[in-house]
DNA sequence: TTGGATT
């Protein structure tokens, strides 16, 4: 309990709040003490906190080292969800140093599998300009390995490998030097210079995102989340903006609910944020009716009235979705509406393996009429500025595809698998240096039966001289030794 | 030949 001494200096637990320098940490007005902090106080970042601990629960743990000026649990800006970390400022600088040495990596809070982090917040050292993001590390490389790699460039203040919830490395890290120049020197020498064992491309060394960039990234990620509504059910048209906004609100609500915060006011804030994004997010995927000859039939989930009239049953990016039946002639050149052909101008001959592939896929599409819908871009003059998020579906919904034609990109991959269900993500792996496809990729559906149907139909599917290999993606922890 | 990653 706090007591007030005769001279008005507040005491807690028998400790004087006057620090070693003789400065008072509290301004006492009657019974109320307004906390004051030293001018050289340090703001600490506290990491690895269980999400069920709030300020009141954390306070006792930290008060042991001195009077707390401010303790704030970090919450997600949009959902209000506890982020598992906090900022802590003691009134006295010394308390911060004591807490750091006593607690940092020294104990693990209940339910956490990594030790608590107690260190000066990034805002303290204006650390952003000397902090590096390191990508393309081998998954088995440790903090020590990374430290060895960087130590010759200067004094390393911090080295952290990013890990998933299970402790597995994400193949990237943060390395903070004591100066910008040291960090720059490391970039100059190490970036792109070598490929780590097990990494798919050469080492990436760059300055870490600033706060602003991080915020932008978050927004993009959130925009990408929209994709959990499959392209099949997303539509823009005369009422496009309304539909889109509605969808975003719904999305925000779902996100809040999914994260366990139920329906709280933050969802409304998130919805407002998303509306703002709606203003520039026009990665408009639109499903359109299947064939001209069956104009009354509409694929599941598509409301005929909402289909914009300017959309036509022509795939913009790859092959036509119309089975080549219009006049009884064999498949002719696909129709491109964006003026860009997916591969260099070539007269389409039957001998062209890729053309065969396209024709084959078209043929395949024809065999799955109910599921098949082409993709069109409704606002062709507006570039799709939100890139397709790479996202995994639930277990059993993610496919690994090998032996893709070199020319296949994300779009072609997606179109090839659309007949089997809602593709929530399609990603062809590309070599960073050459921008060339590595001829394998991933497709994620929103349900396992679509994935199974795709395996059944497409595994062994011949394209040119190669046969596709289509199988379930290995789960992340599959090849971990013990 | 198994997701290009930002506490």
């Amino acid at each position: 309990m706090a007591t007030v001494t005769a001279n008005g200096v507040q005491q807690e637990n028998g400790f004087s709040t006057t620090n070693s320098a003789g400065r008072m940490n509290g301004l006492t007005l009657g019974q109320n003490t307004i906390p004051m902090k030293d001018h050289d106080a340090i703001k600490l970042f506290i990491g690895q906190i269980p999400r069920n601990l709030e300020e009141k629960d954390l306070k006792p743990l930290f008060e042991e080292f001195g009077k707390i000026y401010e303790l704030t649990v970090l919450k997600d800006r949009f959902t209000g969800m506890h982020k598992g970390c906090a900022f802590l400022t003691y009134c006295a600088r010394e308390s911060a140093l004591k807490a750091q040495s006593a607690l940092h990596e020294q104990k693990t809070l209940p339910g956490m599998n990594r030790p608590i982090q107690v260190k000066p917040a990034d805002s303290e050292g204006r650390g952003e300009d000397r902090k590096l993001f390191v990508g393309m590390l081998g998954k088995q490389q440790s903090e020590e390995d990374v430290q060895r790699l960087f130590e010759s460039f200067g004094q390393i203040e911090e080295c952290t490998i990013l890990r998933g919830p299970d402790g597995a490395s994400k193949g990237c890290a943060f390395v903070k030097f004591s100066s910008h120049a040291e960090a720059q020197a490391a970039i100059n020498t190490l970036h792109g210079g070598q490929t780590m064992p097990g990494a798919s491309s050469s080492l990436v060394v760059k300055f870490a995102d600033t706060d602003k960039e991080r915020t932008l990234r978050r927004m993009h990620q959130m925009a990408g989340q929209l994709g959990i509504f499959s392209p099949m059910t997303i539509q823009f048209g005369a009422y496009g903006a309304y539909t889109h906004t509605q969808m975003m609100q719904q999305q925000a609500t779902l996100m809040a609910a999914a994260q366990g915060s139920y329906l709280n006011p933050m969802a409304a804030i998130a919805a407002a944020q998303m509306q703002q994004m709606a203003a520039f997010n026009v990665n408009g995927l639109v499903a359109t009716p299947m064939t001209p000859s069956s104009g009354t039939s509409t694929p599941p989930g598509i409301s005929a009235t909402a289909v914009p009239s300017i959309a036509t049953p022509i795939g913009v990016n790859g092959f036509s979705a119309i089975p080549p039946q219009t006049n009884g002639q064999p498949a002719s050149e696909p129709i491109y509406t964006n003026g860009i052909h997916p591969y260099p101008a070539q007269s389409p001959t039957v001998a062209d393996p890729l053309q065969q592939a396209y024709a084959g896929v078209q043929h395949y599409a024809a065999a799955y009429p109910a599921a098949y819908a082409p993709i069109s871009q409704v606002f062709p003059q507006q570039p799709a500025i939100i890139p397709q998020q790479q996202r995994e579906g639930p277990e059993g919904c993610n496919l690994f595809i090998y032996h893709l034609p070199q020319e296949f990109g994300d779009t072609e991959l997606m179109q090839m698998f659309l007949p089997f269900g809602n593709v929530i993500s399609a990603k062809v792996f590309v070599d960073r240096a050459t921008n060339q496809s590595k001829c394998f990729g991933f497709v994620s559906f929103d349900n396992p039966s679509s994935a199974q149907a795709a395996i059944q139909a497409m595994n062994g599917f011949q394209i040119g001289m190669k046969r596709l290999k289509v199988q379930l993606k290995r789960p992340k922890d599959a090849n971990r030794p013990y």
Side-chain angles (χ1 to χ4, degrees):
Chain A
M1 283 312 280
T3 57
V4 177
T5 61
N7 64 6
V9 175
Q10 191 193 21
Q11 291 186 333
E12 260 179 46
N13 302 324
F15 292 108
S16 164
T17 55
T18 308
N19 68 16
S20 54
R23 285 171 287 186
M24 260 176 38
N25 289 323
L27 209 171
T28 305
L29 302 169
Q31 294 285 34
N32 301 317
T33 296
I34 300 168
M36 301 271 284
K37 65 179 170 79
D38 293 354
H39 292 296
D40 55 358
I42 302 167
K43 186 180 198 175
L44 295 174
F45 171 83
I46 316 293
Q48 299 298 327
I49 307 171
R51 291 179 199 269
N52 57 343
L53 296 189
E54 299 295 337
E55 280 88 351
K56 63 170 167 37
D57 310 304
L58 295 168
K59 233 178 128 185
L61 177 64
F62 294 105
E63 258 171 356
E64 189 183 328
F65 305 97
K67 189 168 167 55
I68 292 170
Y69 172 72
E70 189 176 35
L71 172 61
T72 318
V73 166
L74 271 64
K75 301 275 173 72
D76 183 275
R77 172 192 327 233
F78 300 124
T79 65
M81 197 180 87
H82 193 304
K83 288 166 76 170
C85 52
F87 286 127
L88 165 66
T89 310
Y90 285 100
C91 296
R93 175 184 179 84
E94 235 167 85
S95 311
L97 297 174
K98 272 197 292 191
Q100 181 178 6
S101 64
L103 296 177
H104 180 62
E105 300 243 318
Q106 293 310 116
K107 63 186 289 186
T108 300
L109 264 17
M112 302 273 77
N113 40 23
R114 304 196 30 92
I116 191 170
Q117 303 290 302
V118 178
K119 54 196 178 190
D122 281 345
S123 60
E124 289 301 275
R126 305 158 305 285
E128 296 298 323
D129 69 330
R130 50 195 173 91
K131 183 169 173 181
L132 300 176
F133 173 81
V134 184
M136 282 294 108
L137 288 167
K139 298 258 195 280
Q140 76 302 333
Q141 282 181 293
S142 68
E143 270 81 358
E144 289 69 39
D145 295 326
V146 176
Q147 209 144 348
R148 262 196 295 281
L149 197 59
F150 283 84
E151 64 192 1
S152 64
F153 300 97
Q155 190 187 334
I156 297 172
E157 287 190 7
E158 191 186 314
C159 174
T160 321
I161 300 222
L162 273 61
R163 297 176 189 281
D166 54 354
S169 166
K170 289 178 156 179
C172 52
F174 290 117
V175 174
K176 193 197 274 183
F177 280 99
S178 64
S179 78
H180 178 79
E182 291 170 344
Q184 185 65 63
I187 292 177
N188 295 156
T189 304
L190 293 180
H191 179 66
Q194 55 191 304
T195 300
M196 304 324 270
S200 53
S201 186
S202 60
L203 196 65
V204 172
V205 183
K206 50 192 266 206
F207 286 112
D209 278 359
T210 61
D211 273 354
K212 198 175 277 183
E213 289 164 326
R214 212 175 4 249
T215 305
L216 219 62
R217 181 189 305 278
R218 295 246 169 81
M219 288 181 75
H220 279 214
Q221 273 168 358
M222 188 145 349
Q225 293 279 328
L226 294 169
I228 69 167
F229 288 91
S230 86
M232 301 280 288
T233 59
I234 297 172
Q235 36 207 284
F236 302 85
Y239 307 102
Y242 175 72
T243 309
H244 195 185
T245 299
Q246 233 187 2
M247 186 180 65
M248 288 181 139
Q249 284 170 336
Q250 201 179 355
Q251 177 62 31
T253 308
L254 277 178
M255 282 171 53
Q259 292 181 329
S261 53
Y262 306 106
L263 301 179
N264 69 27
M266 293 305 291
I269 297 170
Q273 291 286 340
M274 291 182 138
Q275 281 176 32
Q276 286 184 351
M277 283 189 251
F280 58 85
N281 172 19
V282 276
N283 192 12
L285 299 177
V286 166
T288 59
M290 168 58 199
T291 67
S293 55
S294 59
T296 53
S297 91
T298 306
I302 307 289
S303 130
T305 52
V307 174
S309 57
I310 58 167
T312 59
I314 296 166
V316 263
N317 287 319
F319 29 80
S320 165
I322 313 171
Q325 64 191 17
T326 353
N327 51 12
Q329 297 303 311
S332 61
E333 183 176 20
I335 303 162
Y336 303 102
T337 56
N338 60 0
I340 299 168
H341 289 237
Y343 48 98
Q346 236 173 11
S347 69
T349 64
V350 197
D352 175 1
L354 191 63
Q355 193 64 37
Q356 276 185 333
Y358 283 133
V361 171
Q362 284 178 22
H363 176 78
Y364 223 93
Y368 286 78
Y372 197 84
I375 291 183
S376 263
Q377 209 158 358
V378 182
F379 307 113
Q381 75 281 18
Q382 223 154 346
I385 53 176
I386 311 270
Q388 167 69 46
Q389 283 292 116
Q390 64 154 75
R391 266 174 302 99
E392 288 196 24
E395 178 91 41
C397 300
N398 306 298
L399 301 181
F400 172 66
I401 296 107
Y402 199 65
H403 294 317
L404 289 169
Q406 177 73 49
E407 296 84 351
F408 260 46
D410 295 353
T411 314
E412 288 76 18
L413 185 61
M414 167 171 278
Q415 293 190 330
M416 184 158 56
F417 284 86
L418 269 176
F420 311 103
N422 297 330
V423 174
I424 61 175
S425 167
K427 184 91 200 154
V428 172
F429 225 75
V430 163
D431 185 282
R432 266 175 80 89
T434 66
N435 236 13
Q436 292 288 297
S437 162
K438 293 191 169 170
C439 298
F440 69 90
F442 301 89
V443 168
S444 297
F445 289 97
D446 64 356
N447 73 85
S449 21
S450 296
Q452 286 304 328
I455 293 174
Q456 285 302 315
M458 299 304 287
N459 188 35
F461 187 84
Q462 184 155 3
I463 300 186
M465 308 264 36
K466 301 192 292 189
R467 286 181 180 277
L468 286 185
K469 187 182 212 173
V470 180
Q471 51 193 217
L472 283 180
K473 181 177 110 63
R474 269 207 308 253
K476 289 167 279 298
D477 51 354
N479 55 353
R480 201 114 46 82
Y482 310 102

